[in-house]
């Protein structure tokens, strides 16, 4: 279908355009003769007769209005605004702006009108939005006053606000906490927030990523070891992470990956507040708060005898579950705005994300959650041509991704993404990176890598053939 150019638009086309503008619009020549007027203008001024070709003063003579603002604009040569009477009511605000030709003479004048009730409605809407924003800002200020939150901890959803209220209550209490949720939802940020607001905030915060440590070394890393405990042991022995975290917090990340045989030793350490180094006989008192996190369903692992039930209950005195980003879409905009602001601060740019772009983001299932959103915003900051990041920019990046390595439920995908035909290039790159990272973390152990990726070993081998 051929697209009509501006030059091909005729008088009828312009009249249709004017009639479909909600605001009142009229165009007059340099003498105040009406050239065009739209439907909204006629309705606001109560004009029922034909006025095209007549001077604006005709409306005054007919008693439809008490004065014609266009003459003030012609005389002053400047933008003019005034409230005029329509019948017995003073309820119409009229604006008139002269347009000049190349020689500096008035070519025509454009006038628009808005009733006072419309202005009041706009003011009421703005006031409502202002109150909502004020309430939201007050809530955030309250949370920031009662919780030591980082500037990048941005929330708007009710779910996250409730979680932070729970954090406010449990942070000062020296109990174990289990934080669950999909990869990338912000579990570590939540854990750090608990530590920063606890009585141990001046103490160390030690993080241990369970999957990153080989099973045969994990016990020694956690509890330490004595000299000669095993072949290759460091001379003089080594203190473990429990001891390093004395007086502070030990964060056990991805606790669902801890070997079953080691779980009972971890349970005893938490229950008794004592540890014994590998190869040692002396019990060492520990004063460490334990916070654990996982993206696995520990309850299901308990049923399969992969995770001890008693350890689960000991770790989850308080249980915080962070919902995936696709279930708290209200957080996408404030998070995106914060990420692009961070990008601007770092690279001295002035990028902004448009509302349609955010609306499109809300249709995507976000398998990588907040981490993926952050990466996307950084990529959009790099690839966007202008300062405005549009829906087209978002579509260009996200339309290439069909699903995730975890096989996201198709029900989570909107129709816009289900029907897109360009879904492979960037996904392949993303999938390849995730597989290689998992293999590196698992030190080449494909069974372990498959567990990290949340897929079967057979599926991993199939994917490796296509790399």
């Amino acid at each position: 279908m051929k697209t009509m150019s501006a030059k091909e638009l005729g008088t009828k086309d312009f009249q249709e355009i004017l009639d479909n503008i909600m605001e009142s619009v009229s165009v007059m020549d340099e003498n105040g003769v009406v050239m065009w007027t739209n439907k909204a203008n006629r309705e606001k001024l109560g004009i029922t007769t034909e006025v095209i070709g007549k001077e604006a003063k005709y409306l005054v003579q007919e008693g439809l209005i008490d004065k014609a603002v266009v003459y003030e604009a012609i005389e002053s040569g400047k933008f003019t605004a005034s409230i005029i009477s329509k019948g017995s009511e003073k309820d119409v605000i009229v604006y008139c702006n002269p347009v000049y030709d190349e020689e500096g003479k008035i070519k025509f004048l454009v006038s628009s009108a808005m009733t006072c009730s419309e202005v009041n409605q706009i003011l009421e809407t703005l006031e409502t939005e202002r109150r909502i924003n004020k309430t939201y800002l007050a809530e955030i200020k309250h949370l920031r006053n009662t919780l030591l939150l980082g500037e990048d901890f941005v929330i708007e959803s009710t779910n996250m606000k409730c979680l932070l209220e729970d954090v406010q209550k449990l942070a000062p209490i020296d109990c174990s906490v289990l934080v669950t949720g999909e990869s990338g939802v912000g579990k570590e940020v939540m854990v750090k927030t608990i530590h920063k607001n606890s009585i141990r905030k001046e103490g160390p915060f030690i993080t241990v990523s369970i999957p990153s440590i080989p099973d045969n070394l994990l016990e020694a890393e956690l509890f330490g070891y004595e000299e000669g405990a095993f072949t290759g042991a460091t001379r003089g022995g080594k203190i473990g992470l429990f001891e390093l975290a004395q007086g502070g917090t030990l964060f056990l990340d991805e606790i669902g990956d801890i070997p079953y045989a080691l779980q009972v030793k971890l349970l005893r350490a938490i229950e008794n507040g004592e540890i014994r180094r590998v190869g040692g006989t002396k019990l060492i008192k520990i004063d460490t708060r334990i916070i654990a996190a996982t993206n696995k369903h520990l309850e299901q692992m308990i049923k399969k005898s992969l995770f001890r039930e008693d350890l689960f209950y000991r770790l989850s005195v308080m249980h915080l579950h962070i919902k995936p980003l696709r279930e708290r879409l209200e957080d996408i905009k404030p998070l995106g705005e914060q990420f692009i602001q961070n990008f601007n601060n770092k690279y001295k740019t002035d990028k902004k994300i448009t509302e349609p772009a955010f609306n499109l983001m809300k249709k995507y299932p976000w398998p990588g959650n907040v981490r993926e959103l952050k990466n996307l915003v950084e990529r959009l900051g790099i690839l966007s041509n202008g300062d405005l990041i549009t829906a087209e920019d978002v579509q260009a990046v996200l339309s290439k991704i069909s699903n995730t390595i975890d096989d996201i439920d198709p029900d989570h995908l909107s129709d816009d993404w289900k029907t897109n035909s360009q879904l492979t290039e960037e996904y392949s790159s993303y999938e390849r990176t995730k597989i290689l990272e998992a293999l590196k973390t698992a030190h080449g152990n494909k069974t372990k890598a498959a567990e990290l990726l949340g897929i079967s070993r057979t599926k991993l081998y199939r994917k490796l053939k296509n790399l």
Side-chain angles (χ1 to χ4, degrees), residues 33 59 90 110 145 148 175 273 427-428 441:
V33 176
L59 300 176
K90 286 190 175 182
V110 179
N145 286 337
L148 297 175
C175 63
Y427 168 64
S428 297
T441 300

Side-chain angles (χ1 to χ4, degrees), residues 336-337 340 343-344 349-358 361 376-377 379-397:
E337 289 177 335
I340 197 62
F343 181 91
N344 289 333
T349 55
D350 190 27
K351 304 277 186 176
K352 289 182 175 61
I353 304 175
T354 63
E355 198 65 33
F358 277 123
M361 288 183 192
L376 172 78
V377 171
R379 189 176 307 171
L380 289 169
I382 295 169
L383 297 178
S384 59
N385 293 321
D387 285 341
L388 286 182
I389 296 174
T390 66
E392 288 73 21
D393 295 323
V394 176
Q395 178 79 20
V397 175

Side-chain angles (χ1 to χ4, degrees), residues 51-334:
V51 296
I52 303 298
K54 297 180 180 179
E55 289 189 46
K57 62 184 179 182
Y58 166 79
L59 300 176
V60 178
Q61 294 170 351
E62 291 294 312
L64 297 173
I65 56 177
D66 67 338
K67 63 179 177 180
V69 180
V70 63
Y71 297 113
E72 296 178 27
I74 293 173
E75 184 177 349
S76 66
K78 298 177 181 179
F79 170 84
T80 304
S82 181
I83 297 179
I84 67 172
S85 296
K86 186 190 75 170
S88 61
E89 303 177 44
K90 286 190 175 182
D91 64 350
V92 179
I93 302 174
V94 179
Y95 309 90
C96 191
N97 198 41
V99 179
Y100 294 88
D101 60 20
E102 296 177 354
E103 297 178 356
K105 297 179 180 179
I106 293 180
K107 184 164 52 174
F108 52 83
L109 299 98
V110 179
S111 177
S112 59
M114 185 177 295
T115 65
C116 289
S117 60
E118 288 174 324
V119 174
N120 290 332
Q121 186 176 2
I122 292 173
L123 291 175
E124 288 176 6
T125 301
L126 290 174
E127 179 62 21
T128 300
E129 291 297 319
R130 188 191 68 79
R131 286 198 300 269
I132 292 173
N133 289 335
K134 186 176 180 180
T135 302
Y136 167 65
L137 291 174
E139 290 177 358
I140 295 300
K141 184 177 180 180
H142 169 70
L143 289 170
R144 291 201 180 279
N145 286 337
T146 53
L147 290 173
L148 297 175
L149 299 179
E151 288 301 318
D152 58 347
F153 204 123
V154 183
I155 60 168
E156 188 164 326
S157 64
T158 302
N159 173 257
M160 290 301 291
K161 289 177 183 177
C162 290
L163 275 182
L164 284 186
E165 289 176 358
D166 290 340
V167 169
Q168 180 185 349
K169 297 173 184 176
L170 68 86
I173 309 300
D174 216 18
C175 63
S176 298
V177 182
L178 177 65
V179 182
T180 59
E182 295 179 5
S183 295
V185 293
K187 296 189 292 293
E188 185 170 358
V189 175
M190 184 69 75
V191 172
K192 287 181 178 178
T193 299
I194 296 172
H195 172 73
K196 288 178 182 178
N197 292 274
S198 72
I199 58 177
R200 298 175 177 272
K201 61 185 177 183
E202 301 301 329
F205 178 82
I206 305 297
T207 300
V208 51
S209 176
I210 303 295
S212 67
I213 303 174
D215 292 354
N216 60 332
L217 297 179
L218 185 56
E219 182 180 358
E221 286 294 318
L222 287 174
F223 303 113
Y225 57 84
E226 300 291 351
E227 182 176 347
F230 51 84
T231 302
T234 302
R235 184 176 180 179
K238 179 183 177 182
I239 67 172
L241 296 174
F242 267 97
E243 290 181 75
L244 283 176
Q246 285 280 25
T249 302
L250 179 62
F251 173 35
L252 302 175
D253 195 15
E254 299 304 341
I255 190 66
D257 290 286
I258 193 169
Y260 194 84
L262 188 56
Q263 291 178 25
V264 65
K265 296 182 179 180
L266 177 60
L267 175 62
R268 288 173 182 167
I270 298 173
E271 285 187 331
N272 302 328
E274 297 176 334
I275 61 167
R276 182 185 286 113
R277 293 181 183 177
V278 176
T281 58
K282 178 183 176 182
L283 288 174
I284 302 172
K285 282 286 184 182
I286 56 171
D287 176 27
T288 305
R289 182 180 193 173
I290 304 299
I291 303 181
T294 183
N295 62 0
K296 294 189 174 181
H297 297 285
L298 296 185
E299 293 91 338
Q300 295 180 11
M301 294 180 66
I302 291 171
K303 294 178 181 179
K304 298 177 181 179
S305 298
L306 297 175
F307 200 87
R308 294 182 64 95
E309 186 173 15
D310 47 5
L311 177 59
F312 171 75
Y313 288 120
R314 175 58 64 181
L315 290 171
S316 59
V317 173
M318 287 298 298
H319 183 186
L320 302 176
H321 179 72
I322 305 176
K323 288 186 177 182
L325 190 57
R326 63 180 172 273
E327 293 181 19
R328 47 188 179 95
L329 299 179
E330 309 99 304
D331 290 332
I332 289 178
K333 183 176 180 179

